[in-house]
Amino acid sequence: MYDPLVDKDIGQGANYPSSYWAAQTKNSAGTGAIVADQSTDIVVIGAGYTGLSCAYQLAKRFNRDVTILEAHQTGWGCSGRNAGFVLRGTGRLGLAQLTKRFGLDTAQLFHQEYGAAIEQVKQMIAEGDIACDIQPEGYLKVAHNATIAAELPAQAAFLQRQFGYQAEYLSAAQLKNDYMHNPHAYGAVRFPDCFGVNPLTLAQGYAAMAQQSGAKLYTGSPLLSWQRGTDGSFLLQTPQARLRCKQLVLATNGYTPKCLYPPLNRACLPVLSSIIVTQPLTAEQLEQSGLHHTQLVMDTRALKYYYRKLPDNRILFGGRSAVYGKDAEKAVYPARLLSALKTCFPVLAQLGCEYHWSGWVAVSYDDLPRVCEAEPGLFYAGGYCGSGLSFSTLAGVRLAELTMGIKVPPLPIYQNRLPPFPLPAFRRLGQLAYYQWGRVKDRFL
Ligand SMILES: Cc1cc2nc3c(=O)[nH]c(=O)nc-3n(C[C@H](O)[C@H](O)[C@H](O)COP(=O)(O)OP(=O)(O)OC[C@H]3O[C@@H](n4cnc5c(N)ncnc54)[C@H](O)[C@@H]3O)c2cc1C
């Protein structure tokens, strides 16, 4: 599998991974590679949610001449591979941590922005009439031990009191009664406004909206290199064509190749997240596991597991994977996830796995993303730390606004660039150490 910290370039025109989403989703016809030289106002690199949402805004709202270049297929990166959890938030800091770091006023602004992100996704789905199998609302943050469970009532009360957010505390007994027969679930906080989607259909819907608004989308068209003209414009090189533009948006996130824009690559740690999808559960298995609902679930481990029931009664179950791309397809990783699923739900001991795939999430050094003008005329958004479905959609809006010189909300994540990792060459060693620590913490602490 392509590894952004190892491979020189990202390749060209690969098919979707053999995911459940790719199997479920009618493949929208590829738009084809760019083969003739062109000039355009603005070029967006990457056809994930960030790039597509940005291009849609640029074309529809600001009437700009915009071209999207995607190395492979629409939604080929994280946007077509994720778990489809439309969550409230991004990065790795909750509102309590944001309050500690930036103060309550700023944390409240974050909260509003995260709500706006969910609304933006809903609005795009409605506007584009995107049939992305919405599963109705709720996300359960489930405590994996009694110590963490004891903190949950205060966490829910804090969200209600300081943010007016209707988070709901659920005891272990309520969880068992209403949501799951999981002996490792000690209590939960329920976030009422999150929901599930088919992520690949969503990306394809965004692409259709961007194109219908006048954006040109070229798949199979990697940006190989770029340079500045004497007037500050950008000259872009793809395998078969050159483009000239005044502004450039990098929406390549965790898939950013090593040499494309080194300050961005050095500021992200691409981390593999893996998903398995099981056989459909029988009515008896659904009853016995308590999984008769469509809540999104994630636990509180350092090395988190997340799961949901899909519309055809399969379980999607995800978590950490290999560290290096070359190891991503090894059988040990889906086996580990299936075993973790069965530890959570012993009644599913006979369940088999039918799909497995992985993708690169971009972890930032300070656990927060950035949306910024990195240097004159060059913009990027990234570093969502594995929680980017809703936020990337809004990040596209904010990116488009930045290119137009429009003021965006005064949040720290819009005010500067992603901080580089110190000693970036050792990022993977740091990740391995974190995994060791996480294993110990999750088992014993
Ligand atoms: C397994 C997994 C599960 C996840 N689950 C969730 C979830 O449930 N909820 C959630 O909120 N988040 C989730 N995420 C994270 C979420 O999917 C991402 O944050 C989000 O999709 C990022 O979108 P993006 O457009 O910024 O990047 P991407 O979707 O990764 O798009 C980047 C694109 O850039 C292209 N590209 C890179 N380099 C070039 C180049 N040189 N030329 C042209 N194109 C290039 C790539 O091919 C890629 O298509 C998950 C991620 C993974 C991997």
Side-chain angles (χ1 to χ4, degrees):
M1 180 175 179
Y2 163 66
D3 188 329
L5 292 194
V6 174
D7 296 315
K8 266 215 202 93
D9 60 58
I10 188 169
Q12 180 182 9
N15 283 328
Y16 290 114
S18 49
S19 71
Y20 171 80
W21 305 124
Q24 287 290 307
T25 307
K26 216 173 107 224
N27 202 345
S28 59
T31 47
I34 184 165
V35 291
D37 294 353
Q38 294 183 19
S39 276
T40 180
D41 270 356
I42 181 159
V43 173
V44 176
I45 311 299
Y49 305 133
T50 305
L52 294 167
S53 163
C54 175
Y56 173 66
Q57 293 290 321
L58 288 168
K60 172 100 180 172
R61 184 168 152 204
F62 301 119
N63 204 20
R64 296 197 67 190
D65 187 13
V66 52
T67 300
I68 312 162
L69 298 180
E70 164 55 50
H72 301 292
Q73 318 288 335
T74 299
W76 182 85
C78 273
S79 299
R81 300 172 189 237
N82 65 66
F85 286 30
V86 182
L87 298 176
R88 182 179 256 273
T90 185
R92 281 153 49 98
L93 304 181
L95 289 172
Q97 291 157 304
L98 290 170
T99 304
K100 223 181 238 168
R101 199 183 278 190
F102 299 110
L104 184 60
D105 288 351
T106 303
Q108 283 170 339
L109 264 187
F110 269 105
H111 180 64
Q112 277 171 29
E113 194 71 348
Y114 293 164
I118 292 191
E119 286 310 312
Q120 187 63 27
V121 175
K122 286 185 175 166
Q123 196 184 317
M124 292 287 282
I125 292 173
E127 248 177 71
D129 198 13
I130 305 173
C132 58
D133 295 332
I134 292 184
Q135 286 185 310
E137 294 171 343
Y139 154 57
L140 302 172
K141 174 180 151 185
V142 171
H144 72 286
N145 65 33
T147 312
I148 291 180
E151 297 164 6
L152 296 183
Q155 286 182 16
F158 173 75
L159 296 177
Q160 289 168 13
R161 195 176 58 247
Q162 302 291 13
F163 299 91
Y165 182 66
Q166 289 316 305
E168 180 192 2
Y169 165 68
L170 300 168
S171 67
Q174 280 170 301
L175 256 188
K176 186 166 182 205
N177 202 38
D178 296 339
Y179 295 111
M180 59 183 70
H181 301 161
N182 172 352
H184 302 278
Y186 289 79
V189 174
R190 180 170 178 276
F191 296 72
D193 53 352
C194 307
F195 57 95
V197 293
N198 173 330
L200 181 55
T201 315
L202 187 71
Q204 292 181 344
Y206 286 7
M209 291 169 78
Q211 287 176 287
Q212 281 154 17
S213 306
K216 292 185 217 92
L217 166 59
Y218 296 101
T219 52
S221 302
L223 173 62
L224 300 177
S225 61
W226 58 274
Q227 59 190 70
R228 293 269 195 174
T230 46
D231 58 354
S233 64
F234 295 87
L235 289 165
L236 313 183
Q237 184 68 54
T238 72
Q240 288 149 290
R242 278 187 303 186
L243 278 98
R244 184 182 285 275
C245 61
K246 296 184 200 113
Q247 290 176 308
L248 178 63
V249 174
L250 299 179
T252 48
N253 216 340
Y255 284 79
T256 310
K258 264 203 302 197
C259 302
L260 189 69
Y261 186 54
L264 178 54
N265 184 286
R266 280 197 295 267
C268 286
L269 169 61
V271 170
L272 277 175
S273 188
S274 261
I275 287 177
I276 56 168
V277 170
T278 67
Q279 302 162 317
L281 270 62
T282 61
E284 195 186 357
Q285 286 171 322
L286 288 173
E287 186 56 40
Q288 288 173 343
S289 60
L291 292 170
H292 38 63
H293 56 85
T294 57
Q295 301 291 297
L296 312 170
V297 185
M298 184 143 38
D299 68 26
T300 50
R301 288 179 166 82
L303 306 174
K304 296 186 187 332
Y305 293 122
Y306 49 89
Y307 48 97
R308 59 184 276 212
K309 188 183 69 157
L310 297 169
D312 56 2
N313 291 337
R314 297 168 190 268
I315 304 295
L316 175 156
F317 194 92
R320 148 192 87 86
S321 176
V323 170
Y324 295 92
K326 67 178 171 47
D327 299 325
E329 315 298 336
K330 287 188 175 164
V332 60
Y333 297 105
R336 218 183 253 175
L337 289 174
L338 190 60
S339 156
L341 164 62
K342 292 177 180 180
T343 307
C344 293
F345 298 99
V347 293
L348 302 181
Q350 302 309 318
L351 202 62
C353 156
E354 294 195 345
Y355 299 89
H356 168 242
W357 70 95
S358 311
W360 294 105
V361 305
V363 172
S364 65
Y365 181 61
D366 65 358
D367 296 329
L368 285 171
R370 293 297 189 286
V371 180
C372 63
E373 182 168 13
E375 53 181 87
L378 190 153
F379 302 80
Y380 71 68
Y384 311 145
C385 306
S387 181
L389 198 167
S390 66
F391 184 72
S392 56
T393 305
L394 187 66
V397 176
R398 300 295 178 232
L399 272 174
E401 289 170 346
L402 286 175
T403 69
M404 298 299 296
I406 293 174
K407 253 190 162 175
V408 296
L411 281 167
I413 53 175
Y414 300 147
Q415 284 160 6
N416 50 28
R417 288 171 276 186
L418 284 165
F421 278 79
L423 304 173
F426 295 98
R427 277 171 284 180
R428 288 259 161 93
L429 286 182
Q431 184 185 354
L432 283 164
Y434 179 81
Y435 281 1
Q436 294 294 358
W437 171 83
R439 263 195 288 271
V440 173
K441 181 169 184 283
D442 291 340
R443 193 130 181 231
F444 302 110
L445 302 180

